[in-house]
Amino acid sequence: MFINDKRIRIIIGHYGSGKTEFSVNYAMKLKQASSSRVAIADLDIVNVYFRSREKQVMLEEQGIKVIASSIAGNALDLPAVAADIITPLEDKSYEYVIDVGGDSVGARVLGRFKNYIEDGDYDMFMVVNANREQTMDLEGIKRHKETIEATSRLKVTGFINNTHLIRETTLEDVLRGDKLLKEASKELGIPIRYVSAMSHIASQIPDEVSGEILALDLIMRDQWM
């Protein structure tokens, strides 16, 4: 796991895709597996809920540097955070995870840092939940991908199958997401890099499902949610 991923991992996905849950879990597992410094940046200014910055204390206790934007209305306070965001982009001693708002507004923020992101030094993973209306078919996936790429000026390099219904998720949900993403992968030439699900589902995923299995702990939602 992680061995073929680029140093900078940009995570995008529509609201409800589980993008932030994946990002936080990924950063924690990356820290456990790597001797390098690990940083996670929260650039999601679109969704005011379930932001990775909410787990800053927990992440920092595990030795992960957390970079969080300041929210003023609905705009990123770029002068206050730009230097912190840029440091792990330029400092190659960092393994870097960037949690980005998944629509064109979030991608526009990411695009402001395009000049600091070297080709060949990043992956942009698109988290797909096939149970969400915006990405439940091939056309929706293509539309979302093209919008993010045009706005950010970066390329999606991998899909993440995170098809879920939160605690109601079944193995059948994951398999349906696998079928859809295999179609998208063939059409768009983009590999499926991960399949993620809560641990009790992840343990049931058969070998023929595409992507490395990443078992998730439900970190961003309290038990009552």
Side-chain angles (χ1 to χ4, degrees), residues 26-95:
Y26 184 103
M28 291 171 60
K29 292 179 187 299
L30 179 60
K31 181 60 181 177
Q32 294 166 8
S34 174
S35 59
S36 300
R37 292 188 288 180
V38 174
I40 183 170
D42 181 355
L43 287 188
D44 190 346
I45 66 167
V46 179
N47 178 21
V48 297
Y49 303 105
F50 308 122
R51 298 191 301 257
S52 53
R53 77 193 71 182
E54 296 172 8
K55 301 301 178 181
Q56 182 166 352
V57 172
M58 180 198 73
L59 290 165
E60 289 179 343
E61 286 176 348
Q62 297 191 34
I64 299 170
K65 178 180 177 65
V66 178
I67 301 165
S69 60
S70 301
I71 299 295
N74 196 34
L76 181 68
D77 184 4
L78 282 174
V81 298
D84 280 347
I85 291 169
I86 291 168
T87 296
L89 292 175
E90 296 186 317
D91 186 344
K92 295 186 184 297
S93 70
Y94 276 101
E95 301 287 336

Side-chain angles (χ1 to χ4, degrees), residues 16-217:
S17 66
K19 166 186 61 68
T20 295
E21 193 75 78
F22 179 89
S23 298
V24 170
N25 273 268
Y26 184 103
M28 291 171 60
K29 292 179 187 299
L30 179 60
K31 181 60 181 177
Q32 294 166 8
S34 174
S35 59
S36 300
R37 292 188 288 180
V38 174
I40 183 170
D42 181 355
L43 287 188
D44 190 346
I45 66 167
V46 179
N47 178 21
V48 297
Y49 303 105
F50 308 122
R51 298 191 301 257
S52 53
R53 77 193 71 182
E54 296 172 8
K55 301 301 178 181
Q56 182 166 352
V57 172
M58 180 198 73
L59 290 165
E60 289 179 343
E61 286 176 348
Q62 297 191 34
I64 299 170
K65 178 180 177 65
V66 178
I67 301 165
S69 60
S70 301
I71 299 295
N74 196 34
L76 181 68
D77 184 4
L78 282 174
V81 298
D84 280 347
I85 291 169
I86 291 168
T87 296
L89 292 175
E90 296 186 317
D91 186 344
K92 295 186 184 297
S93 70
Y94 276 101
E95 301 287 336
Y96 202 9
V97 180
I98 305 177
D99 177 10
V100 182
D103 68 2
S104 59
V105 175
R108 191 173 301 119
V109 172
L110 175 64
R112 298 185 186 186
F113 299 96
K114 166 70 167 59
N115 291 339
Y116 297 95
I117 302 173
E118 298 178 10
D119 290 343
D121 200 28
Y122 79 92
D123 275 309
M124 186 155 73
F125 294 146
M126 178 175 162
V127 180
V128 175
N129 179 0
N131 286 328
R132 298 297 297 182
E133 182 178 0
Q134 300 91 337
T135 53
M136 67 191 311
D137 57 29
L138 178 58
E139 288 307 310
I141 290 172
K142 289 170 64 175
R143 185 164 50 248
H144 183 52
K145 168 194 170 290
E146 290 166 0
T147 299
I148 296 299
E149 289 183 336
T151 308
S152 69
R153 296 174 293 145
L154 297 166
K155 295 294 185 182
V156 172
T157 63
F159 288 126
I160 297 165
N161 175 14
N162 191 46
T163 302
H164 69 89
L165 291 169
I166 313 176
R167 292 184 178 85
E168 303 303 316
T169 306
T170 65
L171 178 60
E172 286 67 32
D173 292 307
V174 177
L175 297 178
R176 184 168 62 257
D178 181 64
K179 180 179 179 181
L180 174 61
L181 277 178
K182 282 177 176 171
E183 181 183 2
S185 178
K186 182 178 180 180
E187 174 82 12
L188 301 171
I190 297 172
I192 302 169
R193 297 290 290 273
Y194 291 95
V195 51
S196 54
M198 287 185 288
S199 297
H200 69 284
I201 299 294
S203 64
Q204 303 174 46
I205 295 175
D207 292 341
E208 60 267 23
V209 169
S210 295
E212 291 194 59
I213 298 172
L214 194 146
L216 300 178
D217 294 320

